[in-house]
Amino acid sequence: MVKINEFAVERWMDNHETSAKHNLAETCCASISLNDLLSFSDSPNSTILDFAKKQTYGSIRGTSDLRSNIAKRYDSGTDQSISADQVLVTNGAIQANFLALYTNVGPGDHVICQYPTYQQLYSVPESFGAEVSLWKSREEQGWDVDVDELRGLIKGNTKVIIINNPQNPTGAVLKREKLQQIVNLAREHDIIIHSDEVYRPLFHGIKPDSPEYPPSILSFGYKKTISTGSMSKAFSLAGIRLGWIASCSQDIIERCASTRHYTTISVSQLDDAVACYALSAPVVDRLLQRNLSLARANADILEAFVKQHEDMIEWVRPQAGTTGFLKITDKQGRPIDDVAFCEQLQDKTGAMLAPGSECFGGGSDFKGYVRLGYVPETQVLVDGLQALRTFLQDGFEQVPVIQ
């Protein structure tokens, strides 16, 4: 029987979010309804769904229109663009990651994974019998990584390098030059790069015309690259449970499609239709502009809050995505017990955060850190931060510290 570690962050969310009054652990941009989605169109009176359509299994790999719209999201204006045939639609990015890893990793393989990150990206390869080395980001370097360290981690049996760009939970970004270095190294050793790009293209701290602006991993002309994404985070549609695998390698797509036959067969036709509509022009551009504006405004609110409590809170302001990683200390500079902090905070105020050591460090790393999702509706953030402010002023002294 396959043994896999408890999925800590999902367990925490499952145990706490239904009772939260102020959910500051949410990682999606503020969710929208189908009516909201229609409002982004030039024809708001149109319908997203064909109610007369028979509900069969539908297109096994996703409809051609949907896969074409996804492929356009990777159009970098170069000859490295991909086609609809190089996209496989899945039930969320979580299935996309699982399928791609299941297809490409097995016993005897070695995998390198950027860290901290979403636990699935390193626990799933371990469950398949692979050895996993963690390529650690450094807070003192703005949560950046060192490519020389990556080179030192490579072994003769290294099969996949896994990156998360933008990064969960820190909101850090692997910039263009760093991505090019990773690609050069992977090409040198014939290693697959698996890039979880679920928060792409929510780059709110770096301008698209900047030479540092990071393209997708598929834009570097290296065949053995995989990008996973979904409608949940940057596109505000977590409820339709739709994601994808895209790759420059048709062989990788075909092998993932073969693996997929053993799981879900197809995605819901309804989900496919909603996603296709959301990714069509001009809807997708207006939706992303809404979310980028919301992320920038809310990040400013959170930054002001952090500055107000700089004697207790440290962070590196995120450049992208929806989450920040905050270190909380007592007045003597000792890191708090982040699990106790989150539990007491929610018990007393209803405000929910995710503890770093529990959800991202296996209990040993990131003690004193919490992940905060700052791209809900602005009033949700304001109310949640007020609850957190109240707790820091009255009740915080009861939280134990890490000695």
Side-chain angles (χ1 to χ4, degrees):
M1 178 179 177
V2 172
K3 182 181 183 302
I4 191 166
N5 293 328
E6 179 76 60
F7 203 156
V9 69
E10 295 300 339
R11 172 61 68 187
W12 183 270
M13 299 295 286
D14 188 31
N15 288 344
H16 292 83
E17 63 184 339
T18 56
S19 61
K21 182 179 179 182
H22 311 288
N23 188 347
L24 297 185
E26 177 57 66
T27 59
C28 301
C29 288
S31 297
I32 59 172
S33 68
L34 297 189
N35 284 334
D36 294 331
L37 191 60
L38 285 170
S39 73
F40 294 117
S41 170
D42 287 332
S43 303
N45 294 324
S46 65
T47 181
I48 295 172
L49 304 176
D50 180 356
F51 291 96
K53 188 173 185 178
K54 303 294 185 184
Q55 293 303 301
T56 67
Y57 281 108
S59 300
I60 301 303
R61 297 190 180 199
T63 60
S64 177
D65 286 346
L66 173 57
R67 288 184 290 115
S68 293
N69 283 350
I70 293 170
K72 289 174 186 175
R73 305 310 308 164
Y74 293 95
D75 187 355
S76 60
T78 70
D79 58 2
Q80 304 302 329
S81 300
I82 62 170
S83 69
D85 289 339
Q86 292 168 287
V87 176
L88 181 65
V89 176
T90 64
N91 290 89
I94 196 162
Q95 193 207 21
N97 285 327
F98 188 92
L99 281 176
L101 294 169
Y102 184 83
T103 300
N104 293 304
V105 175
D109 290 332
H110 175 241
V111 171
I112 300 169
C113 185
Q114 182 187 4
Y115 178 83
T117 191
Y118 194 52
Q119 185 185 335
Q120 180 195 33
L121 297 177
Y122 51 89
S123 286
V124 165
E126 285 180 335
S127 76
F128 296 153
E131 177 192 0
V132 177
S133 296
L134 299 177
W135 182 28
K136 296 186 177 183
S137 306
R138 310 291 181 190
E139 183 179 20
E140 63 271 18
Q141 298 169 357
W143 295 111
D144 200 3
V145 286
D146 187 331
V147 175
D148 287 335
E149 289 184 14
L150 174 62
R151 183 182 297 276
L153 292 172
I154 292 175
K155 301 181 179 182
N157 62 336
T158 302
K159 186 74 176 294
V160 181
I161 295 169
I162 301 170
I163 58 177
N164 181 202
N165 197 33
Q167 185 186 35
N168 173 16
T170 68
V173 170
L174 294 171
K175 297 176 182 175
R176 179 185 290 271
E177 182 179 358
K178 187 64 60 76
L179 289 171
Q180 184 66 68
Q181 293 172 346
I182 295 169
V183 168
N184 293 345
L185 196 52
R187 182 184 280 116
E188 178 185 339
H189 295 273
D190 194 33
I191 298 170
I192 296 169
I193 302 175
H194 176 126
S195 183
D196 181 331
E197 298 178 347
V198 72
Y199 290 96
R200 182 178 178 82
L202 205 68
F203 297 103
H204 45 76
I206 182 170
K207 294 182 178 179
D209 58 357
S210 168
E212 296 183 323
Y213 189 86
S216 168
I217 198 65
L218 304 188
S219 300
F220 290 87
Y222 180 46
K223 277 284 186 183
K224 300 181 82 168
T225 48
I226 297 166
S227 168
T228 57
S230 87
M231 298 303 299
S232 299
K233 308 300 184 183
F235 299 100
S236 301
L237 289 166
I240 66 172
R241 306 308 306 130
L242 192 137
W244 59 84
I245 301 169
S247 178
C248 293
S249 168
Q250 195 64 47
D251 176 64
I252 287 176
I253 291 295
E254 295 305 318
R255 289 190 293 110
C256 288
S258 180
T259 301
R260 188 173 176 280
H261 290 314
Y262 286 97
T263 56
T264 55
I265 301 179
S266 63
V267 301
S268 159
Q269 287 190 74
L270 304 180
D271 294 345
D272 190 299
V274 174
C276 188
Y277 185 90
L279 294 177
S280 66
V283 176
V284 65
D285 299 315
R286 293 169 181 172
L287 174 57
L288 285 174
Q289 187 54 55
R290 175 256 194 189
N291 287 350
L292 282 166
S293 297
L294 184 64
R296 290 189 186 106
N298 285 7
D300 287 343
I301 292 170
L302 179 55
E303 183 170 45
F305 178 87
V306 171
K307 286 181 178 178
Q308 183 184 8
H309 299 88
E310 59 186 5
D311 58 332
M312 291 183 284
I313 303 177
E314 301 174 13
W315 80 330
V316 176
R317 176 168 171 148
Q319 291 189 299
T322 65
T323 62
F325 212 33
L326 282 59
K327 184 178 181 180
I328 303 179
T329 63
D330 68 1
K331 295 296 179 63
Q332 286 73 48
R334 297 173 298 181
I336 51 92
D337 181 325
D338 48 287
V339 175
F341 178 88
C342 290
E343 288 175 340
Q344 292 181 30
L345 172 68
Q346 186 162 348
D347 285 345
K348 295 189 179 203
T349 72
M352 177 185 171
L353 300 172
S357 65
E358 175 83 6
C359 297
F360 298 97
S364 57
D365 294 326
F366 310 119
K367 292 180 179 180
Y369 288 84
V370 297
R371 185 185 72 180
L372 189 153
Y374 57 88
V375 199
E377 297 289 352
T378 298
Q379 194 59 51
V380 174
L381 176 66
V382 170
D383 292 344
L385 291 180
Q386 181 56 46
L388 177 55
R389 180 180 291 108
T390 298
F391 182 72
L392 291 174
Q393 294 170 348
D394 182 15
F396 177 67
E397 65 279 356
Q398 303 301 320
V399 179
V401 296
I402 305 297
Q403 299 296 333

